[in-house]
């Protein structure tokens, strides 16, 4: 890995074994983009990659026809000085102008990677893991500096980027657009993939051909949202899961975002990723700096799985932090779908006792334990135990749970307040609200103004008290509404465009305090399920409740979509009761387990309500999970068959030593007299022989990958008797199977 600077051509070449990224200081001092793709050999200049011939209806910066930004691929483009595509940045100046001209001032190349103050970001544990290039540009007229940061990781086809604006002048400027990264690609021969949905159907895979014009996903909701995810993919039309060129773009941010591709009339594709400029203005005062969130760009020539595996490794080990980062996750039982608000201490202890009997390791108390929280109309903001339900408080309950031999976890929703709460009665000015206007509620709750440090402090103190005096090993941090009336009574009118971002900075600062002062706690983020399943959250909480939809069939799609950009271990995945509470659908208990294995596994039901037969199966599921969770959660994950494309879905995880593999095979609707089927496995050692647990047969790795694993199932319907023959395996709708392969 290296970052080279060629003095004569003024070109930077960032490369490792997998990728090359080449940028150039252009004649006008801006930064040009020359190449991002598989590793190519260095040369002293790549000048020929700049194509600048005359074109009609073009505006030129040079005297002749040689230099127009419209025709040059750039790194951090501006609008209004010969380029007409949407820009990476925009500054409203005291005289009303928005034209800027940032030109090269200096650069620095160093080992390692800097942290971004107050923001989540990838990191290194030693300087050998990455090199960083910082290019400083300056607008001579305004005096503002712009620092573009690029980090290349030694082992991964990934580049992390961000930008920092510095105002050393005596003037105040309005930053109205400050993207984290912009990348101009020389053509548009790509399929665009986005991960979109809604509450309970998050991150559905949507693919379409990139075309001239703008295609974008974004959030204006104050959180990354169920609707779209701050992660997009471009793949060559011929690329698939296993081969071909793929580019992945992920934003490490949890608030309003924009992820966009603009294809111009010459088929140049401009990718843009950052804070959503809609509603954003940062009032950059004298002496202040503004740091954008980080964006990560991944290149893979090994198809979509190759790209995902890069994100998995990087985010699992160099974005997630803390004591839990590399540890297999405890099997948990959460009481939400078991009781909703209908519980007291005795009922919780009985549920926990049954969970312990079956092998559960962590009992999680969800919503309803605090203040006057008997339903969702009251209590948020009052972070002290409801002693009518819990006479011994959280301290007493947590001690009882630990005495059973379980760890204890607690649900919180710290960013919200109900009007019916002591906190709101004491501080009505602490919610986001527009002067003189009514505020909208969501689930009867209002959003606390986390741009105000005193609000964040107050919440921290309340919860830190409980965490200090009780035995809490896990926190589920929920967030159940989108933001409206985003205005802070504590900020000046000129700063109101900062509130969405300041809210997220306040949220991050609160998380940071908790993880610093309670490092033993495993945090799981949540936002009405997966409305904040983003890379920003992973920096603080190494796992996230993937969706409120706990139906196994739906979960296959949700987890499949989520796996494109996020590690398997980060997906909270639970077995719940049937009929399912979201879809009223019945799926086999085996399938509910078989889906949830591929994640941070747990239960979302009262085990006491199951039959003896079902309890036996639960015990077996937990035993299985404990035996294979290191492979399932930390192995190399491959998507094999997409639930978005057919009735059968499949995926697998392979251990690092390639000696163990676990395959999940899922059929949505049963089919009769079906075709013969083989599943082509991936990631095995071709020269090892593997025992397939379900058949008892041994096959070489190359055979399992090239010929395939025979998965033909019996399917339904036998002539005449209506009864299955001896040894015949009955399949049903929502049937599934787990295969374990063990190398001999
Ligand atoms: C939404 C979460 O996603 C659920 O799991 C549960 O915690 C509820 N909130 C509680 O209000």
């Amino acid at each position: 890995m290296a970052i080279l600077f060629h003095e004569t051509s003024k070109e930077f070449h960032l490369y490792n074994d997998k990728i090359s990224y080449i940028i150039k200081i252009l004649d006008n001092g801006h930064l040009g983009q020359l190449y991002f793709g598989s590793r190519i050999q260095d040369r002293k200049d790549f000048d020929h990659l700049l194509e600048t011939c005359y074109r009609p209806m073009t505006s030129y910066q040079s005297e002749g026809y040689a230099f127009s930004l419209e025709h040059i691929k750039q790194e951090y483009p501006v609008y209004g000085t010969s380029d007409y595509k949407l820009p990476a940045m925009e500054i409203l100046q005291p005289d009303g102008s928005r034209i800027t001209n940032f030109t090269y001032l200096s650069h620095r190349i160093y080992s390692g990677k800097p942290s971004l103050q107050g923001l989540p970001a990838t990191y290194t544990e030693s300087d050998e893991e990455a090199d960083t290039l910082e290019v400083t540009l300056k607008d001579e007229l305004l005096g503002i500096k712009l620092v573009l940061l690029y980090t290349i990781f030694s082992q991964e086809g990934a580049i992390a980027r961000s930008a920092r604006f510095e105002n050393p002048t005596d003037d105040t400027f309005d930053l109205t657009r400050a993207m984290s990264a912009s990348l101009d690609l020389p053509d548009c021969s790509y399929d665009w993939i986005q991960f979109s949905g809604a509450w309970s159907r998050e991150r559905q895979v949507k693919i379409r051909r990139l075309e001239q014009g703008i295609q974008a996903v974004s959030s204006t909701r104050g959180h990354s949202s169920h609707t779209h995810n701050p992660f997009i993919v471009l793949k060559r039309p011929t690329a698939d899961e296993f081969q071909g060129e793929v580019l992945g773009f992920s934003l490490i941010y949890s608030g309003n975002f924009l992820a966009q591709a603009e294809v111009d009339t010459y088929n140049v594709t401009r990718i843009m990723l950052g804070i959503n400029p809609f509603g954003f203005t940062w009032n950059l005062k004298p002496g202040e700096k503004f740091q954008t969130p980080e964006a990560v760009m991944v290149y893979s020539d090994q198809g979509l799985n190759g790209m995902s595996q890069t994100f998995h490794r990087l985010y699992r080990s160099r974005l997630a932090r803390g004591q839990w980062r590399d540890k297999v996750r405890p099997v948990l039982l959460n009481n939400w779908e078991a009781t909703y608000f209908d519980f007291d201490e005795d009922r919780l202890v009985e549920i926990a006792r049954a969970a312990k009997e079956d092998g559960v390791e962590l009992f999680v108390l969800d919503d309803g334990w605090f203040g006057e929280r008997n339903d969702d109309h009251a209590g948020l903001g009052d972070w002290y135990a409801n002693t009518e339900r819990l006479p011994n408080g959280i301290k007493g309950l947590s001690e009882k749970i630990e005495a059973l031999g379980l760890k204890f976890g607690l649900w919180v929703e710290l960013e919200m307040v109900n009007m019916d709460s002591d906190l709101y009665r004491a501080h009505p000015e602490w919610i986001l609200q527009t002067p003189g206007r009514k505020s909208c509620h969501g689930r009867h709750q209002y959003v606390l103004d986390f741009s105000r440090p005193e609000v964040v402090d107050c919440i921290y103190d309340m919860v830190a008290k409980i965490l200090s005096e009780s035995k809490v090993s896990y926190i589920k941090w929920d967030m159940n509404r989108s933001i409206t009336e985003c205005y802070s009574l504590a900020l000046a009118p000129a700063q109101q465009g900062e509130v969405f971002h300041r809210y997220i900075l306040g949220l991050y600062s609160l998380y940071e305090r908790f993880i610093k002062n309670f490092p033993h706690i495993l945090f799981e983020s949540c936002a009405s399920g997966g409305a904040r399943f983003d890379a920003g959250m992973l920096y603080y909480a190494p796992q996230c409740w993937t969706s409120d939809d706990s139906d196994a069939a739906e979960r296959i799609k949700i987890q499949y979509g989520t796996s494109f950009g996020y590690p398997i271990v980060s997906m909270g995945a639970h077995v719940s009761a049937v009929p399912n509470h979201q879809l009223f659908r019945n799926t086999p208990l085996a399938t509910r387990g078989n889906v949830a294995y591929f994640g941070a596994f747990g239960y979302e039901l009262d085990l006491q309500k199951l039959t003896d037969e079902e309890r036996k199966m639960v015990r077996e599921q937990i035993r299985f999970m404990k035996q294979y969770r290191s492979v399932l959660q930390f192995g190399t994950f491959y998507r094999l068959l997409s639930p978005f494309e057919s009735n059968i879905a499949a995926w697998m995880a392979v251990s690092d030593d390639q000696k163990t593999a676990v395959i999940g095979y899922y059929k949505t609707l049963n089919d009769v007299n079906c075709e013969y089927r083989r599943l082509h496995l991936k990631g095995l050692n071709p020269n090892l022989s593997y025992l397939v647990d379900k058949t008892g047969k041994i096959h070489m790795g190359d055979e399992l990958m090239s010929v395939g694993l025979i998965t033909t199932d019996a399917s339904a319907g036998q002539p005449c008797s209506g009864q299955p023959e001896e040894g015949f395996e009955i399949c049903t709708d929502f049937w599934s199977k787990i295969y374990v392969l063990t190398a001999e």
Side-chain angles (χ1 to χ4, degrees), residues 336 366-367 411 443 476 478 480 526 528-529 545 548:
W336 179 242
D366 209 279
D367 197 352
W411 176 97
R443 205 193 187 198
K476 176 178 173 187
D478 205 348
N480 283 301
C526 172
S528 275
W545 180 225
D548 272 352

